[in-house]
Amino acid sequence: MRLKLLTFSVLLAITIEKAHSQSSTQPAKEKVLLQMDFDDPANPMVPNIVHGDTASALLQDGHYVLDAKKASRFWALRLGTPAEEVPGCNILEMKMKVTADASQARYGILWNSVQKTPGVFNEFAFCVYSTGQYTIFAKVDNAAYDIAELTACSCINKGTSAYNTLRIEEINSGEFRFFINGQMVHQAMLKVPPFTTFGFYSDAHTTLYVDYVKFAVRAD
């Protein structure tokens, strides 16, 4: 299935925080359904996108590169999940880094995005900062609601050009765990199905490099 920009709508549910802790819980054992390593520039599943002269997204040197260097505000790329390739997917993992003009830049995963009106999406975001913090939030009707407030974690590789691996697992129906570089940083109940869509978020004046995207199911 060719990935494409979202044109459909689904119900975005209210989120309920369950727990907030950095723990020794390990990522679940997994069976990989699909891993995109971005080695084939002709792969039709990953579209090249040009948004005027402000941003572009394309395969380059084994990465999916979201270049928002000329953008005046944050830039988000939202894609549909290749459902035929990942039935039952309950794990989403990405390895990414960002280069930026500023010393602080935010970047991360978008998932379950629903376009409400042109330019307005209801969705979830799991982001890290190059200065060593993370945040998880939901956007509903252009307002943001914290799932995990801005929190520092030594598990984050600081600085621009440093890779971080973000992982989201659904462990029970609507119950999610969030990992950064193998360390669980948060757990929450979210009344939403897992990974109907996915995408990337990056600040303005940045270039985001996504090394891989992995879809998996728990094998434990």
Side-chain angles (χ1 to χ4, degrees):
M1 175 182 175
R2 181 183 175 88
L3 296 184
K4 58 185 178 180
L5 293 178
L6 297 179
T7 58
F8 57 88
S9 294
V10 294
L11 178 64
L12 183 69
I14 301 299
T15 66
I16 305 172
E17 183 174 334
K18 179 182 178 182
H20 179 266
S21 65
Q22 297 173 10
S23 80
S24 59
T25 300
Q26 297 299 303
K29 295 179 181 179
E30 65 184 35
K31 175 184 177 182
V32 177
L33 300 174
L34 174 67
Q35 181 163 323
M36 295 187 288
D37 294 310
F38 307 121
D39 295 323
D40 180 6
N43 185 351
M45 294 179 66
V46 186
N48 291 345
I49 294 171
V50 177
H51 189 270
D53 62 354
T54 61
S56 63
L58 71 164
L59 268 67
Q60 184 179 72
D61 299 327
H63 293 79
Y64 196 43
V65 180
L66 173 55
D67 185 348
K69 280 286 189 179
K70 296 180 181 179
S72 60
R73 59 192 299 269
F74 75 86
W75 219 89
L77 178 66
R78 301 166 178 92
L79 301 169
T81 300
E84 291 91 343
E85 303 290 338
V86 290
C89 169
N90 51 31
I91 295 172
L92 174 61
E93 181 178 294
M94 300 186 193
K95 181 180 179 181
M96 53 181 62
K97 68 176 181 179
V98 70
T99 61
D101 294 337
S103 59
Q104 176 172 290
R106 180 169 66 169
Y107 59 99
I109 299 174
L110 296 175
W111 81 102
N112 287 26
S113 298
V114 180
Q115 186 169 13
K116 303 300 290 184
T117 59
V120 176
F121 291 81
N122 288 352
E123 59 196 349
F124 292 91
F126 178 25
C127 297
V128 294
Y129 288 76
S130 57
T131 46
Q133 301 86 25
Y134 71 90
T135 183
I136 308 167
F137 60 90
K139 284 175 57 182
V140 180
D141 297 331
N142 232 15
Y145 300 90
D146 284 341
I147 297 169
E149 61 186 12
L150 186 65
T151 305
C153 185
S154 60
C155 61
I156 298 170
N157 296 320
K158 295 181 181 180
T160 58
S161 297
Y163 282 104
N164 285 286
T165 300
L166 279 62
R167 180 182 177 97
I168 308 170
E169 300 179 352
E170 186 190 38
I171 56 172
N172 294 300
S173 180
E175 186 174 359
F176 290 81
R177 288 175 177 168
F178 299 85
F179 295 81
I180 301 173
N181 297 325
Q183 179 174 319
M184 193 182 93
V185 296
H186 198 77
Q187 183 170 329
M189 288 295 297
L190 307 176
K191 293 184 178 181
V192 65
F195 317 128
T196 56
T197 67
F198 77 100
F200 317 113
Y201 174 101
S202 191
D203 276 343
H205 311 300
T206 65
T207 303
L208 177 69
Y209 296 85
V210 184
D211 184 61
Y212 69 79
V213 176
K214 178 168 64 179
F215 302 91
V217 293
R218 296 194 322 275
D220 53 5

